[in-house]
Structure formats: structure tokens, C-alpha cells
Amino acid sequence: MSSSPDRQASVSDNPDAHLLSESEVEKVHEDMVHGYDDVEDEFEDAVEGEEAAKPDEAGNFEVTKEELSIIRAELASKFPEDYEYLSDAYILSVASKPYSKDPTVRRPLEYTMEKLTHVMQWREEAGAPDMGELVKLANGPETAPAAVEEPEKLTKAKAMVYALNSGSVYWHGLTKEGKPILWIRTNRKPWYPDVDAEVNALILLADAGIRAMPKDCTDFVVLSDSNSPPPPNPTFMINMLKALVRGYPDRLSMLASAPVGSIIQFVMNLLLPLMPGRLASKVVLIGTDEMQEKLTELLLNGKEDIPIFMGGTADHDEFYPVEGSCPNRGEGTLKFDYFGMVERLEAAVAGFEKNRGAKKEEEE
């Protein structure tokens, strides 16, 4: 992994960083939705609007237990080793949405199955179900039988772990609604990233956060400290967007970035034309003057959860220090406290659900 020069980056530091022409946008769009009609519908939804369908206060239709069972059974038959990745809450959230071609009715069951099948197929193609095993492989000795027998797999595992080791992305804490928070610290990102390794690390982290969600939660929040980002890397950003659109539809509740500098403005100008409308509407740019208020409103414990690097008092570096201050976690190359992160997130969710249950009992 290339180290970052000890100065502020600018867009000009990457000669390949340029905004896409109309033809380039169309090409990326076609690549993103090729063979994924349901992804194309996400773009259509942005044009048609979602205001026409108001079947209930939340804008969703009913899905029966029998219909949920049918979807579950079909997914289990097609993807026996990974079907449990999709929670009932997520399946219901997808199945209950208005149909893009006729927002006055619910999505047909066949359409929902197509959408969920595409998610699972993407997971297979991206190797998402195997990312957890890669972490364990990289955390073990290179003399282990699995490492010796599959050297290419070990190389992939080590590259992904190197991306994790920067401590630039991690889960920590919840919102007031119980949504897990993925923090991005752009100043820790490499100037010249290994794109595949960075995307694989994001897939690993996304799956870890999704698996730890409260039972009725289906989406997460991303908070980015964008004070000192690296030069924009269009290839990485577009690949990341493709993964989000194809592999994690309806998973992002909000992405908030603060503060707003020239590089972040460039990134948004690059990605917004490529985003489905619903996804684009979830991106929020926060100025320094309003950051404290917004975070206090969002974070579970309000002001006390605001990290030091965003002007608060919560010390994230206690758990996620810079790579040079991290010990090896095992006998391999993993320094990032991945397993501790998962344990802390699970504990936070358990505490949230316990408190929520106690409040419900009091109200009853």
C-alpha cells in the first residue's frame, strides 16, 4: 500500500481524476445496470417519483407471512450457503415497496425475487460470503495448510487486510434509531489505493455491520470525516458505487460528509450523475458550522458520542489507532481490530435492544 505524502492533497495530484463526459456517464450507467433490470428501475423511480403511492404512513404495502415464506424458500433453494444473510426485515422492506412501473400497487412477488436474486448473485460473483474467511486466513501463519495450498487466496487476503489496517473505515456506535454507524476517516486513506482490496474491505465491513443490526433494522448510516481526503480516485469511487447499487440496495440510510472541501465537491460532481435518484437523495454535505448540531441530533448518546476528530470528546483512537500503533492481532498481517470491532458493535446493539424493550414494557 502506497504511503501518503505529508501534505494536503488536491484534485490535481491524480492526473486521471476528471469529471465524466456525457458518453462516459452513459457507459458507466450501462455497465452498472447491465442485466439488472431492477437496478434500472431504481433510476426510473427517481424520475417517476415516489409520492404517488401512499398505501400507509410509511409508504409501504403489506406482505403476508405466506409470501415471506415463499421468498425465503426460493432463496434457500438457490443460495443454500448464503440465504440467511438476508434478514426477514430486509426482505419485507424490499417486497413492500411500491412498484416503479405503477406506484399505486406493490411490487409483484416475481419482481422482488428478481431483485433479491440479483443481490445474491452479485454476492457470489464478488466473493462476499468468503471475505470473513479471508480475514482469518490473513490473521494466521503463512505456513498454515490453507495458506500453503491456496497461495492466490492468501495474496488476496493479505491485500484486503492491508486495506483494513489503515483504520480508515470502521463500525462504531449507533444512531438514536439503532442504525449502525460506519465511520470513514479520509485522512487515513492511501493516495494510491489497491482498488480491488479497498472494495473487498468495504464488502467485508458492510456485511459485518448488516449481520449485527437490530432485528427490525435494515439500513445503516455512514459518517465521513472529510477534513483531509486523498486525491480522488475515479476507478475506486465508481467500483464502490457499483458495489453499493448492486450488492446493497436500500441499505444506505444516509451518508453525511463534513466538512465540504474542493475534493469532496469533485467527488460529488463525479458520482451524483451515476447514482440512482433515491441513493443520491441520501447523501448530505455538512458544513463545519452545523456539524456539532447535526451529530448531536443523530448519535445515540448525543454530544458525548461525537469523536475528537469531529470536535467532540469520544476517543475512537482508543480502539482504532493509526496503523503504526497497532499490534498484530494474530500470527499473520492483520493489525486492525476487526474482531473487537464486531464484538463492540454486537454489544452496542444488544444494549440498544435491551433498553428499547424496557421502554416498551414501561409504556405498556
Side-chain angles (χ1 to χ4, degrees):
M1 179 177 64
S2 302
S3 59
S4 304
D6 195 17
R7 62 176 174 80
Q8 287 276 57
S10 68
V11 174
S12 62
D13 283 313
N14 185 351
D16 295 326
H18 66 278
L19 297 180
L20 302 184
S21 65
E22 186 175 339
S23 62
E24 288 174 319
V25 168
E26 289 179 2
K27 184 178 179 181
V28 173
H29 173 261
E30 285 300 317
D31 181 52
M32 193 178 298
V33 304
H34 180 67
Y36 285 68
D37 293 338
D38 49 307
V39 172
E40 182 66 54
D41 286 343
E42 294 292 324
F43 284 86
E44 291 176 6
D45 285 345
V47 177
E48 295 173 8
E50 299 176 70
E51 307 242 337
K54 296 182 180 178
D56 61 20
E57 292 182 1
N60 297 325
F61 291 87
E62 180 186 5
V63 179
T64 67
K65 291 182 179 180
E66 291 75 16
E67 288 174 321
L68 175 61
S69 296
I70 291 171
I71 295 171
R72 271 275 176 225
E74 190 160 345
L75 288 172
S77 67
K78 291 182 177 179
F79 308 97
E81 297 182 0
D82 196 34
Y83 78 98
E84 292 183 345
Y85 165 77
L86 299 179
S87 67
D88 286 352
Y90 180 68
I91 293 173
L92 290 172
S93 75
V94 172
S96 64
K97 293 290 189 296
Y99 190 31
S100 61
K101 293 179 172 59
D102 182 0
T104 63
V105 299
R106 195 194 72 186
R107 288 171 170 170
L109 213 59
E110 296 78 12
Y111 174 89
T112 294
M113 271 308 310
E114 179 186 33
K115 189 176 182 72
L116 295 175
T117 297
H118 281 162
V119 170
M120 300 304 285
Q121 287 174 338
W122 177 88
R123 289 178 57 75
E124 279 191 346
E125 294 166 4
D130 303 323
M131 296 300 177
E133 290 302 315
L134 292 182
V135 174
K136 295 176 183 177
L137 182 64
N139 197 36
E142 294 190 10
T143 55
V148 174
E149 293 168 7
E150 299 184 84
E152 290 184 3
K153 190 173 181 180
L154 176 63
T155 299
K156 179 179 179 180
K158 289 171 68 175
M160 183 182 72
V161 160
Y162 284 137
L164 286 175
N165 285 346
S166 68
S168 59
V169 186
Y170 53 82
W171 295 103
H172 192 74
L174 309 171
T175 68
K176 285 182 168 62
E177 296 178 326
K179 300 180 189 296
I181 300 173
L182 187 68
W183 297 86
I184 299 178
R185 300 174 69 169
T186 61
N187 65 315
R188 294 182 174 185
K189 283 287 184 187
W191 277 35
Y192 311 107
D194 179 333
V195 173
D196 289 341
E198 291 283 339
V199 172
N200 288 341
L202 283 174
I203 292 172
L204 171 79
L205 290 169
D207 283 2
I210 288 168
R211 288 194 174 93
M213 284 177 176
K215 292 180 181 178
D216 60 351
C217 180
T218 62
D219 51 9
F220 54 81
V221 168
V222 178
L223 295 179
S224 175
D225 170 27
S226 305
N227 192 50
S228 183
N233 186 298
T235 301
F236 167 65
M237 290 184 292
I238 291 171
N239 285 359
M240 178 189 65
L241 180 61
K242 287 179 184 177
L244 184 61
V245 170
R246 284 188 170 186
Y248 302 94
D250 302 324
R251 288 296 194 181
L252 181 66
S253 173
M254 178 181 71
L255 188 158
S257 177
V260 183
S262 59
I263 289 180
I264 299 304
Q265 290 174 340
F266 175 90
V267 169
M268 295 312 302
N269 289 334
L270 173 72
L271 294 183
L272 281 175
L274 304 174
M275 288 184 183
R278 280 195 253 180
L279 180 59
S281 68
K282 296 174 181 179
V283 178
V284 180
L285 302 181
I286 304 175
T288 305
D289 56 339
E290 56 182 336
M291 183 165 57
Q292 295 288 312
E293 180 183 353
K294 295 289 187 183
L295 292 176
T296 300
E297 293 173 356
L298 179 69
L299 301 175
L300 179 61
N301 299 305
K303 192 173 182 179
E304 67 181 77
D305 280 352
I306 300 176
I308 292 173
F309 56 83
M310 284 188 164
T313 58
D315 186 8
H316 285 201
D317 288 5
E318 176 186 358
F319 306 108
Y320 309 105
V322 295
E323 182 176 353
S325 300
C326 293
N328 270 43
R329 301 295 169 177
E331 299 179 71
T333 53
L334 178 65
K335 294 184 177 182
F336 176 74
D337 189 15
Y338 173 77
F339 301 105
M341 176 197 70
V342 172
E343 290 176 1
R344 285 187 288 274
L345 183 58
E346 290 175 343
V349 168
F352 175 83
E353 292 187 319
K354 182 179 179 180
N355 291 337
R356 183 170 57 178
K359 287 180 180 178
K360 284 185 179 180
E361 289 182 3
E362 289 177 6
E363 292 173 357
E364 294 174 355

